[in-house]
Structures are given as C-alpha cells and as structure tokens.
Amino acid sequence: MVQSYLKHGPTQAFGVVCSSSSNSLFDGKLAYVPALEDVLVWDMKKGQMVAMWHETGHREEVTCIMQSPELDSFAVGYADGSIRLWNSTSASVITTFNGHKKAITALAFDESGTRLASGSQDTDLILWDIVGEAGLYRLRGHRDQITAIQFLSISQDQPSTSTAAAPGLLLTSSKDTFLKLWDLSTQHCIQTTVAHRSEIWTMVINQEQDLVFTGSGEGALKVWKLDRAAFAQGLKETETGEVAKVIHPVSTLPLASKHRVSQIQLHPTLPYLAVQSHDRSVEIFRIRSEEEVRKKQARRRKRTQEKRRQDKDKGKNSEMDESGMDPENEETMESNIVDYFTPHLVVRASGKIRSFDFGSSTPTTKVAIPLFVALASNALEIYNIPHSTKSKEEPPDATRSYSVDIPGHRTDVRTLCISSDDHILASASNGSLKIWNIKTTQCIRTIECGYAICSTFLPGDRHIAVGTKSGEIFIYDIASSTLIDTIQAHTASVWSMHVRPDGEAVVTGSADKDVKFWSIEHKDATSESLQSGRVLSLVHVRTLKMSDDVLAVKYSPNGKLLAVALLDSTVKVFYQDSLKFFLSLYGHKLPVLSLDISEDSKLIVTCSADKNVKIWGLDFGDCHKSIFAHEESVMQVAFEKGSHYFWTVGKDKMLKYWDGDKFEGIQKLEGHHGEIWALALSHHGNFVVTGSHDKSIRIWEKLDEPLFLEEEREKELERLYESGIADSLNRVDATIGSGIEGGPINGSSETELAVVTKHTSETLMAGERIMEALDLADTEREAFREYEESMARLSENDAMKLQPPPRNPVLAAYGLEPEAWVLRVVEKVPSTTLHDALLVLPFGNAVSLMVYLNIWAQKGWNVTLVSRITFFLLKTHHHQIVTNRIMRTTLIPLRKHLRSALQRQKEVIGYNLAALQFIRRKNNSERITQFYEEEDMDEEKVKAKITEGKKRKRVNLKA
C-alpha cells in the first residue's frame, strides 16, 4: 500500500508591521502599508490592524501601492510584475493585470481613475483600461527601471496632437537619468530630457501642473517648468525648425543633506514640500506666498543698492557687465523659484525611513500637520509638524504623536521556543524578546534583551532563558515581564542551550569552546529583585572543555547521551552522566549548525552549512543517509514528536519536511521572503513555527488532507512544465534597452509601441479550457448533424426506428446546447486574461470559434463579448483570414448578425438615455414649481438657484 502523509499548510503570518519592499500610504486616519505579500491597514490612533489584504496562494512581495481617485480602490504592484486592484471596503481583489516581466516600481491613476499607468524594472510603461479590464498598449523607450509616473491633464476645449479618444500626457522618470514626456493620443514620446547626472529616484508635480520636482542619486533636487501653452497647441515647429519643448530647467533647490533624494511630496492642500534625502530624516520646506516673495526680493534689492553705494563711495567700479545690465536681474528668474521655498524644519525618525506620506485629510490652520513615516525597521510613526510662526524665537520642532512598533521585531527573528502546552510562543531578536499567544497571534509581552541567539522555556513554562552573543544568559519571568537573573555564563556567544528531559538541568554550548552544565534551582528572592517568594535560577555544576567552538548541544530524549556539534564539522556524542566519550560523527564538509535526536533515541539528524542533512544511527554512529537538502546553508533541524519525520529550514527561504526512514522529501513550503533563522515544533506535533530575516513569524499547521508523494511530484513537474511554456512564449517580447537581460538580439531595436501580452499558467489553462469546450461542442454538433441527415434520407416509417445519438454527459448535466456551453466557458475567463487565452488557440480552433460567434450574434447573446472576441481574432489572424476563401461563408453572416445585434443594443441604450433625460427634466420642473410656490421668484432666478445649489453628498448604504 502507498504510504500517505498529512499535508501542512500556512495558516498565520504575523510579526510584520510593515516591510521595506514598497511605499506606504496614509489618509489621515488609516495607514496602508506593505507586509511582504500582503497589504495591512492600520488605525494609527488606536495602533490596531483594521484589515489584511491577502490573496490565497499568492506569495510575491508588494512593491508599489497607489490610491485611486475613487478613494475605496487601490492599485497594488507585486514583484512578479502583476498588478491587483483591491477594494478597501470589502478587502477583495477587483481585477488582476498581468503585463510586466519584472517587479512593478511605479503606478499612477489619471484624474478620473479610469486609466492606470504602470512602470516596472523591465523598463516598459503600460497603460491599463480599468473599466474595460484590459491593457491598452505598452510604451518602450526607457533604458532602466521606471521610478515615477505622473499624468498631465489637457483641458477638453484645447486641441491635442491627435483626435484620439483618450488625450493626455504622461511624464515618466527613470534610473537612466531621463525625463520622458509621452503623448497618449499618438502613443509616442514627444520629449526626452537628460535631467540629472545620476539616477532619478523620485518625481512630483504641483497641483497647477506647471512645476516638476525631481530628485536624484547624487543628492540634487531640481525644479523644471512645464510650458502648458506648448502642449496645448500640440507639436509645432518654431521659426528655427525645432519642435517646441515642453519641459524647461528652472533651478536647483539647496538641501541640508547630500544623500540620495529618495522621495519628494507636496502637501495636497497646504503650502509645504517634504523631501527625504537622508536615511533617518525628512526635510520640510514651507512654500511662501507671492506677497512674502515680493517683500524678500525688495529687501534683497535694497541691500544690493546699499552695497553698491558703499563700493562707489570707496571708489570701486560698480558691478556692470558689458551690456550695462545689472547681473542681479539675470539671476532673478533662477532665484525666483528658490525664493518661494524656505526650510521649515527637519523631522528625525527613530530608524531608517522607507517612505513617508502627508495625511490626505485637510488639517485646519490651528492643528499641526501630521506626517506619516514607515520605517525600514518594521515600525510606523506619525509626527506632528507645527505651522510656521512670525516670531524669531527658537525654530519649531516636530513631535512624535503615534507609533506602531509592538506587533513586530526591529531586527531578524533569531530564535523561537514554544511552551509545553503549545499555547505560548517566545521569539527573540537583537534587542527584544516577545511573547505571543499562538491562537490569537497577539503580542502579549515585549521585554528588552541583548543580542539573543538561543532560547528555551524552563520547566513550568513561567520562565524563559535566553543565550546572547555576549555570552550571558538572561532569565525572564513571563508573568511580570521582568529580568530576574543575569548569568555571565561564557566569554563568547552562547550558540545553543537545551533542558535535560527530566527538567532538572540545562546544558549550554558556546564559542569559547566550553560545554557548561547548570542545575535548575529555586532560591529565595533578594531584596533588590522585584520578585517575592521563591525565584528560579541556574547554578553552574560542571564544565566540559572541547577542542573547538561549540555550535549545538542536545540531550537524547532518554537522558543517557549528550551530542555536541563543533566548528571542526564533527559531532561528538558523550554519556550524559559520566561525560565519557561515546561516538564521533564525521562526514560534513562544513560546520554542523544544528542537530536533533528522535524521540526513541535511535536516530540523530545533523544539518550543516554545506547544504546537506545527514541521518545517523545512535547505536553505532553509522551514517544512514546524506541528503542534499537546501540550496543554501541549512540553519536548523528538528524531529517531529513521536516519529522519524523531521523539519529543516535554510537560507534559501524554504521550510522542508522529510521522512527519516525512507530518506525522502515529503513537502516543500514556500512563503518567507528572507533566510529562515529559527524553527520551533509543537510539542504535540500539530504545527511548525518559523522565524526569518524578513521579520515575520509563520505558523504552518498540520491539515487533515492526505498527501501522496507521487501526486506531489507530478504536480511539481506540471508546474515546471507550465512555467517553462509561459517563459518561452514571453521571450519574444524583448525590451528596447540595449544590454538589458533578454534584450533585442544583434542590436535590432523593438518598436516604441507594443501590445500588452503576457502568458502565465492561468492564460494557458484558460486557452486549454476554451479548446476543450470547442472540441466537445463540435463533436456534439457533428453527431446531431449526421443524425438529421440520416433522418432526412429515410422514409417516415424507418425514421421512427432510428434513435438519436446520446447527448454528451456534460451538456446533459447542465442542460445546455453546444453553443451555450462554449459561451459559458468563454464568459468564465477573466476579462484581463481573455486576449492572452485567445492567443493560445491554434488557427483551426479560431475558425471554429468564429462559427459560434455567428450563432451568439444571431441570438443576441452577450454582444459586447462577441464584438470584443471578433475584433481581436480578426486583428490577430488577419493574414490567414484574407488568404483563406472558405472563411467568407462564416464572416459574411457574422457581419450581418453582429451589425443587427449592435444596432439593437444601440437602440436600447438610446431609449434608456432618453428616459433618463425625461426623468431629469421632470425632476427639474417639479423643483421649479416648488420654488414658485414657496417664494415669489421668476423662472431665471429659480434656474440659477438650482444650478448654484450644493451637490448632495454620496452616501454608501451597506446592505
């Protein structure tokens, strides 16, 4: 019989407040922050997590977040190049866009929120139609990743360079040092400006859309002027024959720091500009009013005249250039912009800043302005920025009002341990020890500690011992969150500690080459300690000197043996009572980082930095099997309770489950985004906990679902095959940038404009489903066509004896005709993947689909979808269709039926529009008569009052 195992699956991921993979947003109350593959919504005032946007099965990191003008809609870009539109009220995905090959780095919505522009590390710029849920076109031109995108609106009464349906301009910046201006109506680049000497990291446009601020890697903040008149008139040549430029350089703003300018932001309503150019601080500029600038310039002019008068009195020549112009006048244009910006204050955060945001809600002039800051150290903060005062007293200072940092560690999670009843989890990092409730995943306690490397619960589950890098052992009381004892145990890092199975003693191993044994004793509390009554402590009993650094120590569950892993890549096994040498296990090429002994004390498993796991017998010390387990160093290993199954974690971000008797891998679990340092197993074998460099702690629970190894291998091969096909299909779309991986071959450059296609396993599966449906429907129709022909040839008496062919069981089950079944399958394909799914179809199936399109058009079924598929197929297979005369029989009736169906649709829409206009006129007339009755007014005044009347607020009614 085939052996089955129980499957494990991810159930919880916690400990992440915000990850540093993406920008964060703040709306005045709620903060929308990335948390590895999820987006978390925090209420900053309460410090509570309001929602988590999680899509099951999706593991790629969030790399960009952007809020739509429709405030409850957000676009989130991921590391695999996909974009998901999330609805914030329902925390669900509205639609998914797939078009980029690499991580999304920039997103922007247009004014109405109907179009979305996305930029990526693959240097492409894609425009998406949100209403139609489709990619409009791909723009190529940048030679490095796009860092910022901004839509520029053109008022409708002004002519664009074309009469296309969606006018407008798009401004993009990139790491290739270029600013590019794209005309969306003609879909090409109309100006390229070399903006900086190094990469452009950020860009922002003011509300009037006439000034652009760009920040670069060299620490420069430049200001550019947009000539609105030039792009309002369209592309026109000047008298010299050059095309009029739209972007003009103006000035450079002086910054306090010369570090990389990583983010610039203008306050949406108040005159403030914020710039982040240093890791830990944000510089705030106040934008002066016109009156203030005029006063400042007048003062400057006065000072210059006084200086000139003094120089003249001393007999010096006044500073006049050859043309007789004052040099001061030449500088006025450049200094003009700089005059508007005055340094207000610098906000210094408690850690490295990943991104910041002003609250979108409008604060009053009296209340301080909130500045939201997301730190790279897994914390969020809000600072209050006071308004500027006229008095020349000490400069204002920003104050921190709220912070969210308790639900996560500031640094890597280095060690984990679980209480004996599986209810409490302790995690420790450099600086803090945190106690978690495993059921609710809430942080119960946070205690300061040193650089923790190993930890264990002491018998009774009321105390935790933590071994540190400095060689100390700290003992903490959980109930009172206090440090009750500090033991200077070793002179170097305490790498490992383990409690003896009888709960009477603890063993520690250190880099000072000592293995020390400690007895657990209860002593009376001293007057200095906060504890009363009996206090638990460790008393040094004996020391075992080793020849090399000790990396891991472990008692056997039967309490007879002690295993010690050394830096010389060997494992020494001693008798626990006499410390007499028993076995030496050698074979690893690099040091053994962790080891564990099975519950029956028969097997010992060791994992090493050489990426291998070795299983040994504890009776003779023979190596049963050596397994190449991970792609990087294997950090920890642990046996599951009551079995020979064991778990390993590695620097390759993987958690793996193994069978120690059959030497086979059972399951691979992906999820972490950084190397996994720590592993802890449930004492009842129900779950596994892992801690990682990405600061997240994840619980993997045992499910009731059985797992068969053969099935798992087949699924893995299928996934590899599908991803291989998708990659080979996508390889055609090479990038325009020369030297970029997967770029054009032999120096041939791609066109600036391209279609948006990207094959994924989903599009391939959708294409296959359509093909299967077409084959099934064709077979069914052919069978019934033959039956009808046979019936027509026979006489009436014989025709009675001829039985109709049996219906296809699928069609019979659903009670559908063949053409209705094909429509059902096509309708289920998501709108965003439909075009890519149709590209998978061979020409034969495309011809077959045309027949069904004709039937659907004739019956008036889903005319919108029919039109979309028809036009796409005609565009894609144009050459084959025009050379194939057989297609005429299908296309001519399709044209006729589709036109009549569209005409019917047009009539219905026209009728509905007329009805709505009638309702509006009726409503207006009723309101006018109401005004006439209430007040003595004439018709003109009433109409004016109605138009002036405030628009009613929209209220979302929840069912």
Side-chain angles (χ1 to χ4, degrees):
M1 185 181 166
V2 179
Q3 186 175 354
S4 71
Y5 304 88
L6 284 176
K7 196 176 272 189
H8 285 74
T11 50
Q12 293 285 348
F14 56 98
V16 181
V17 177
C18 71
S19 58
S20 57
S21 59
S22 160
N23 65 310
S24 303
L25 300 177
F26 180 59
D27 67 0
K29 184 191 175 194
L30 301 176
Y32 302 88
V33 300
L36 305 174
E37 71 269 28
D38 303 330
V39 175
L40 301 183
V41 184
W42 291 94
D43 185 319
M44 291 302 294
K45 218 172 201 175
K46 296 177 183 172
Q48 289 178 352
M49 189 172 82
V50 180
M52 176 196 270
W53 301 350
H54 174 78
E55 188 174 29
T56 313
H58 190 257
R59 296 193 191 95
E60 295 295 332
E61 260 183 312
V62 173
T63 55
C64 192
I65 306 172
M66 180 58 66
Q67 189 171 14
S68 166
E70 296 173 9
L71 298 175
D72 61 345
S73 179
F74 287 79
V76 180
Y78 295 86
D80 60 351
S82 63
I83 302 162
R84 282 167 176 71
L85 288 181
W86 287 87
N87 184 304
S88 59
T89 46
S90 63
S92 60
V93 178
I94 304 164
T95 185
T96 305
F97 294 126
N98 255 315
H100 291 286
K101 285 184 281 185
K102 290 185 182 174
I104 304 295
T105 53
L107 291 167
F109 283 94
D110 69 351
E111 276 183 332
S112 58
T114 55
R115 285 181 298 170
L116 172 70
S118 63
S120 162
Q121 281 180 357
D122 63 10
T123 76
D124 287 355
L125 178 69
I126 296 180
L127 220 75
W128 305 92
D129 178 3
I130 289 170
V131 180
E133 294 186 359
L136 297 172
Y137 43 84
R138 186 192 300 267
L139 296 168
R140 292 191 171 113
H142 280 294
R143 294 171 182 273
D144 207 336
Q145 82 172 47
I146 293 166
T147 53
I149 304 171
Q150 291 281 350
F151 273 93
L152 298 173
S153 57
I154 297 177
S155 54
Q156 295 300 317
D157 55 342
Q158 291 175 332
S160 173
T161 48
S162 167
T163 54
L169 296 166
L170 203 60
L171 188 63
T172 58
S173 68
S174 163
K175 280 191 182 177
D176 60 9
T177 74
F178 294 155
L179 268 180
K180 277 183 176 283
L181 189 66
W182 306 83
D183 188 333
L184 298 182
S185 47
T186 56
Q187 297 161 15
H188 78 290
C189 178
I190 56 173
Q191 188 180 340
T192 301
T193 306
V194 182
H196 291 266
R197 282 182 298 177
S198 65
E199 305 102 344
I200 304 175
W201 280 94
T202 179
M203 174 188 70
V204 73
I205 295 178
N206 67 343
Q207 281 192 318
E208 290 76 31
Q209 294 195 347
D210 57 359
L211 288 180
V212 179
F213 301 86
T214 57
S216 74
E218 73 216 0
L221 171 57
K222 287 190 178 178
V223 186
W224 308 79
K225 191 159 183 66
L226 290 175
D227 190 348
R228 301 285 296 176
F231 65 68
Q233 292 162 5
L235 289 175
K236 287 185 180 176
E237 289 185 0
T238 56
E239 293 168 3
T240 54
E242 293 178 359
V243 176
K245 288 191 174 178
V246 178
I247 307 166
H248 303 283
V250 176
S251 178
T252 303
L253 283 182
L255 295 175
S257 163
K258 286 293 168 198
H259 292 78
R260 183 183 92 194
V261 180
S262 49
Q263 194 181 345
I264 307 169
Q265 195 172 5
L266 285 154
H267 195 283
T269 52
L270 298 171
Y272 288 96
L273 171 77
V275 181
Q276 185 204 338
S277 59
H278 189 267
D279 279 351
R280 300 172 81 96
S281 61
V282 176
E283 217 173 321
I284 310 288
F285 289 89
R286 187 173 65 82
I287 304 169
R288 292 189 175 109
S289 64
E290 293 277 355
E291 192 183 336
E292 285 177 295
V293 173
R294 274 199 296 275
K295 281 180 184 174
K296 189 178 183 205
Q297 286 174 345
R299 280 200 304 272
R300 189 190 293 157
R301 232 174 275 124
K302 193 178 176 184
R303 279 200 304 270
T304 313
Q305 283 167 1
E306 281 175 11
K307 191 181 176 188
R308 200 173 292 126
R309 204 175 298 119
Q310 286 169 6
D311 289 348
K312 204 171 187 182
D313 292 345
K314 288 175 186 176
K316 290 182 183 178
N317 293 324
S318 61
E319 289 183 11
M320 300 280 276
D321 60 6
E322 290 174 10
S323 61
M325 286 291 289
D326 184 355
E328 187 67 29
N329 289 339
E330 291 180 9
E331 291 175 16
T332 45
M333 179 57 200
E334 188 169 328
S335 62
N336 207 358
I337 287 290
V338 180
D339 288 344
Y340 279 94
F341 298 92
T342 176
H344 180 48
L345 58 84
V346 175
V347 177
R348 286 183 176 83
S350 58
K352 187 180 174 185
I353 297 170
R354 171 58 181 87
S355 76
F356 67 88
D357 194 12
F358 284 116
S360 56
S361 60
T362 53
T364 59
T365 48
K366 291 176 186 175
V367 181
I369 307 154
L371 180 78
F372 166 80
V373 175
L375 303 180
S377 61
N378 195 27
L380 307 172
E381 295 178 336
I382 288 183
Y383 288 87
N384 281 342
I385 300 160
H387 290 277
S388 60
T389 52
K390 298 274 182 184
S391 60
K392 291 184 179 179
E393 294 167 15
E394 57 184 55
D397 208 12
T399 53
R400 189 171 75 177
S401 54
Y402 303 109
S403 69
V404 178
D405 55 4
I406 293 209
H409 286 280
R410 303 286 74 74
T411 51
D412 299 9
V413 179
R414 287 304 302 259
T415 171
L416 296 167
C417 56
I418 299 172
S419 64
S420 57
D421 58 1
D422 284 350
H423 286 172
I424 293 172
L425 169 76
S427 65
S429 65
N430 178 7
S432 65
L433 165 72
K434 287 183 182 285
I435 314 295
W436 308 83
N437 180 328
I438 285 185
K439 265 206 174 96
T440 61
T441 68
Q442 295 296 312
C443 182
I444 310 166
R445 303 268 188 279
T446 298
I447 313 165
E448 282 188 22
C449 74
Y451 196 137
I453 288 178
C454 58
S455 62
T456 180
F457 271 92
L458 295 174
D461 291 339
R462 297 184 57 155
H463 302 88
I464 290 175
V466 175
T468 66
K469 201 169 188 176
S470 56
E472 294 162 319
I473 296 174
F474 296 121
I475 297 174
Y476 295 96
D477 182 274
I478 298 172
S480 61
S481 304
T482 51
L483 172 66
I484 57 170
D485 204 356
T486 302
I487 303 158
Q488 190 59 54
H490 294 271
T491 55
S493 304
V494 182
W495 285 114
S496 179
M497 61 165 60
H498 189 226
V499 179
R500 202 165 70 193
D502 60 5
E504 296 293 319
V506 174
V507 62
T508 59
S510 164
D512 62 4
K513 305 181 184 178
D514 287 353
V515 175
K516 290 191 177 180
F517 299 86
W518 311 80
S519 72
I520 299 170
E521 291 186 9
H522 293 269
K523 60 181 182 182
D524 291 326
T526 59
S527 57
E528 294 171 14
S529 71
L530 299 168
Q531 298 286 307
S532 59
R534 308 277 285 168
V535 173
L536 184 142
S537 182
L538 298 181
V539 179
H540 182 220
V541 180
R542 54 183 173 169
T543 304
L544 176 64
K545 296 272 183 189
M546 304 302 294
S547 60
D548 229 319
D549 293 17
V550 178
L551 297 180
V553 287
K554 201 84 174 185
Y555 282 112
S556 65
N558 61 11
K560 289 181 180 177
L561 301 171
L562 172 73
V564 180
L566 302 175
L567 195 65
D568 63 4
S569 310
T570 64
V571 175
K572 302 276 193 282
V573 184
F574 300 89
Y575 287 103
Q576 182 270 131
D577 46 4
S578 62
L579 295 186
K580 188 181 168 189
F581 176 74
F582 175 45
L583 291 170
S584 179
L585 312 176
Y586 53 89
H588 281 292
K589 294 181 177 66
L590 289 169
V592 172
L593 302 176
S594 174
L595 54 87
D596 198 15
I597 300 170
S598 63
E599 202 181 17
D600 56 9
S601 302
K602 287 182 179 176
L603 292 182
I604 178 169
V605 61
T606 59
C607 67
S608 160
D610 63 10
K611 309 173 189 176
N612 286 293
V613 166
K614 288 183 191 285
I615 302 156
W616 318 75
L618 255 186
D619 38 11
F620 303 110
D622 56 325
C623 181
H624 289 184
K625 188 73 176 174
S626 180
I627 304 168
F628 180 76
H630 289 260
E631 300 293 322
E632 298 283 337
S633 301
V634 189
M635 296 311 295
Q636 236 175 321
V637 63
F639 270 107
E640 200 175 74
K641 190 174 173 66
S643 72
H644 284 179
Y645 304 152
F646 63 90
W647 292 88
T648 59
V649 292
K651 281 191 176 179
D652 60 356
K653 312 171 189 175
M654 299 287 279
L655 166 68
K656 294 190 180 183
Y657 190 29
W658 306 87
D659 187 331
D661 292 325
K662 294 193 169 183
F663 320 124
E664 284 186 308
I666 301 169
Q667 205 177 352
K668 276 192 234 175
L669 294 163
E670 294 173 286
H672 279 291
H673 297 269
E675 49 263 39
I676 305 174
W677 296 113
L679 169 73
L681 265 65
S682 145
H683 292 282
H684 299 100
N686 298 331
F687 59 85
V688 184
V689 187
T690 52
S692 162
H693 167 71
D694 63 18
K695 303 180 186 67
S696 73
I697 301 166
R698 288 170 192 261
I699 298 177
W700 315 81
E701 217 164 282
K702 188 176 273 186
L703 311 171
D704 295 331
E705 195 181 332
L707 179 147
F708 298 96
L709 293 182
E710 286 297 316
E711 278 183 21
E712 289 299 305
R713 304 285 177 274
E714 278 176 23
K715 281 178 189 172
E716 210 170 303
L717 283 170
E718 245 173 66
R719 277 197 295 272
L720 278 170
Y721 176 65
E722 281 170 5
S723 64
I725 291 176
D727 290 345
S728 62
L729 287 168
N730 289 331
R731 204 172 293 143
V732 185
D733 294 323
T735 50
I736 194 169
S738 56
I740 302 264
E741 186 188 345
I745 303 159
N746 302 330
S748 61
S749 62
E750 293 280 329
T751 54
E752 193 175 67
L753 184 71
V755 290
V756 182
T757 58
K758 183 188 174 186
H759 289 287
T760 60
S761 53
E762 286 80 22
T763 61
L764 296 174
M765 294 280 284
E768 281 175 14
R769 284 198 297 275
I770 295 172
M771 279 192 262
E772 283 171 13
L774 287 168
D775 291 341
L776 186 149
D778 285 346
T779 311
E780 184 81 351
R781 290 185 70 212
E782 184 60 30
F784 274 91
R785 190 183 60 78
E786 285 176 6
Y787 167 70
E788 281 162 10
E789 282 179 3
S790 306
M791 287 281 284
R793 283 199 298 270
L794 294 171
S795 61
E796 270 188 39
N797 293 334
D798 294 335
M800 294 289 284
K801 295 172 190 174
L802 191 65
Q803 292 295 319
R807 287 196 71 193
N808 186 292
V810 176
L811 298 177
Y814 284 100
L816 294 171
E817 291 300 310
E819 52 271 19
W821 170 251
V822 178
L823 181 64
R824 181 194 169 99
V825 171
V826 173
E827 278 178 336
K828 280 191 176 176
V829 176
S831 182
T832 48
T833 57
L834 181 61
H835 285 178
D836 289 328
L838 292 172
L839 281 174
V840 175
L841 301 182
F843 183 62
N845 285 109
V847 173
S848 178
L849 184 57
M850 287 277 195
V851 176
Y852 293 101
L853 289 170
N854 181 30
I855 297 167
W856 300 339
Q858 193 174 357
K859 295 187 176 182
W861 291 348
N862 203 337
V863 181
T864 319
L865 182 69
V866 172
S867 310
R868 192 178 162 196
I869 296 171
T870 306
F871 301 139
F872 181 76
L873 289 177
L874 290 173
K875 196 163 63 179
T876 310
H877 301 289
H878 177 257
H879 294 299
Q880 291 100 315
I881 289 168
V882 293
T883 53
N884 191 344
R885 294 189 66 180
I886 303 162
M887 291 295 293
R888 283 172 64 86
T889 52
T890 313
L891 288 173
I892 291 167
L894 175 61
R895 182 180 66 180
K896 179 186 155 193
H897 294 139
L898 191 58
R899 276 183 179 172
S900 60
L902 288 169
Q903 187 60 41
R904 283 197 298 276
Q905 290 265 342
K906 190 179 170 185
E907 285 166 4
V908 169
I909 292 166
Y911 181 81
N912 289 342
L913 278 172
L916 287 167
Q917 283 166 358
F918 169 73
I919 292 165
R920 189 179 68 185
R921 284 197 301 272
K922 191 178 176 186
N923 182 37
N924 281 352
S925 66
E926 282 174 3
R927 285 171 71 190
I928 288 167
T929 52
Q930 192 180 337
F931 272 119
Y932 270 134
E933 286 168 10
E934 287 174 8
E935 301 170 32
D936 188 26
M937 296 171 79
D938 65 349
E939 194 172 344
E940 292 301 319
K941 283 181 183 175
V942 170
K943 280 184 178 174
K945 192 163 186 179
I946 288 170
T947 52
E948 280 171 20
K950 287 181 182 176
K951 287 184 179 177
R952 283 183 293 177
K953 279 188 178 179
R954 279 190 181 179
V955 180
N956 289 330
L957 295 174
K958 288 182 182 177

